[in-house]
Amino acid sequence: MLEVNVLKKKSKEERINDITEAAMEVFLKKGYENTTMEAIAKNAGLSKGGLYHYFKSKDMVLIYVNQKINENMEIILNKAIEMPSVKEGILYYIENYLKYWLEHPKETIFLFLSITKILDNHELLEYYQQFMGDYIKYFEEAFEMGIQLGEFVPHNAKTSAITLVGALDGIISYMFLDESLQLEDVVKHFEEKFIKSIEKP
């Protein structure tokens, strides 16, 4: 019985992943306003009723797709935490965060589309407020740990965290618009500004 339940659960997860991919395609093609549950269901190979079994509205679908995308950020974050030093962890995150968005343009465009809906969608706004709060807190704690371990000179860790997060999210669009901005060079600029400037001699 346990084995059967596991198989059912896996099947449900796979179906939800299919819906997620299908929904992203529809949102990007039609835009948020013109996307309907019927269009998402059709693209996912489901009946409209079948889609409502998993999601009650397109807002719920939008939020879930964002959650699925951000799971990739959590994977990068967990690997960064495992790095031998705070400096290496931060650099690992910077490089792989930017690399992810550059290698997944569809997800990047979807993120920008979602951001335009944040002020209209209370649940999505709350989700991203929580996400950004945790995101900034991670870097603040990382910089504080670097200070405690003697990797960084004493400085305002929260200021470093906020400016790093803002710079990371801001540079993504520039890298898509300006092909001269190569990942390796951008990572070096971030290292110069956010690591070497506070690194303890």
Side-chain angles (χ1 to χ4, degrees):
M1 179 64 75
L2 178 62
E3 189 174 81
V4 173
N5 288 336
V6 170
L7 288 174
K8 284 184 177 179
K9 182 179 179 183
K10 183 177 181 182
S11 178
K12 181 179 179 181
E13 289 175 354
E14 287 176 346
R15 174 54 68 188
I16 290 176
N17 286 336
D18 290 343
I19 294 171
T20 299
E21 287 296 319
M24 190 185 302
E25 290 175 2
V26 177
F27 277 124
L28 292 177
K29 184 178 180 179
K30 294 178 175 289
Y32 176 83
E33 301 299 339
N34 294 322
T35 293
T36 63
M37 289 291 276
E38 186 174 4
I40 294 172
K42 183 178 179 180
N43 201 39
L46 288 171
S47 66
K48 192 175 179 180
L51 177 59
Y52 275 105
H53 176 72
Y54 296 100
F55 298 100
K56 300 304 180 186
S57 68
K58 72 174 181 179
D59 282 355
M60 285 184 65
V61 179
L62 183 72
I63 292 169
Y64 189 80
V65 176
N66 276 276
Q67 290 173 338
K68 290 296 290 183
I69 292 174
N70 286 328
E71 284 178 6
N72 296 292
M73 303 304 104
E74 293 177 12
I75 291 171
I76 296 172
L77 196 62
N78 288 332
K79 289 184 178 179
I81 292 171
E82 295 172 359
M83 291 291 109
S85 68
V86 175
K87 170 189 170 181
E88 289 174 90
I90 293 174
L91 285 175
Y92 177 89
Y93 188 89
I94 290 171
E95 180 175 0
N96 287 278
Y97 179 83
L98 296 177
K99 187 177 180 181
Y100 173 84
W101 294 114
L102 292 174
E103 291 181 350
H104 297 82
K106 184 170 67 174
E107 284 81 356
T108 304
I109 296 170
F110 184 82
L111 174 66
F112 291 150
L113 179 148
S114 297
I115 288 173
T116 64
K117 299 308 300 176
I118 283 179
L119 295 179
D120 297 332
N121 188 311
H122 184 68
E123 286 184 81
L124 189 61
L125 175 61
E126 282 190 341
Y127 169 73
Y128 268 102
Q129 286 175 332
Q130 180 65 49
F131 178 80
M132 291 305 296
D134 292 343
Y135 188 21
I136 291 172
K137 184 179 179 182
Y138 161 74
F139 280 110
E140 183 179 359
E141 291 177 349
F143 282 117
E144 287 176 348
M145 180 64 70
I147 294 169
Q148 292 173 16
L149 295 175
E151 292 185 43
F152 301 141
V153 297
H155 67 282
N156 190 318
K158 187 168 187 177
T159 297
S160 290
I162 292 172
T163 52
L164 175 56
V165 168
L168 277 173
D169 287 341
I171 197 65
I172 294 169
S173 57
Y174 284 99
M175 293 180 78
F176 275 103
L177 295 171
D178 187 351
E179 293 182 355
S180 69
L181 291 172
Q182 298 298 307
L183 178 62
E184 184 179 349
D185 294 330
V186 170
V187 172
K188 286 181 180 178
H189 292 319
F190 270 76
E191 181 179 11
E192 185 71 31
K193 185 67 177 177
F194 293 100
I195 299 296
K196 290 187 176 180
S197 65
I198 58 171
E199 202 169 10
K200 200 165 186 178

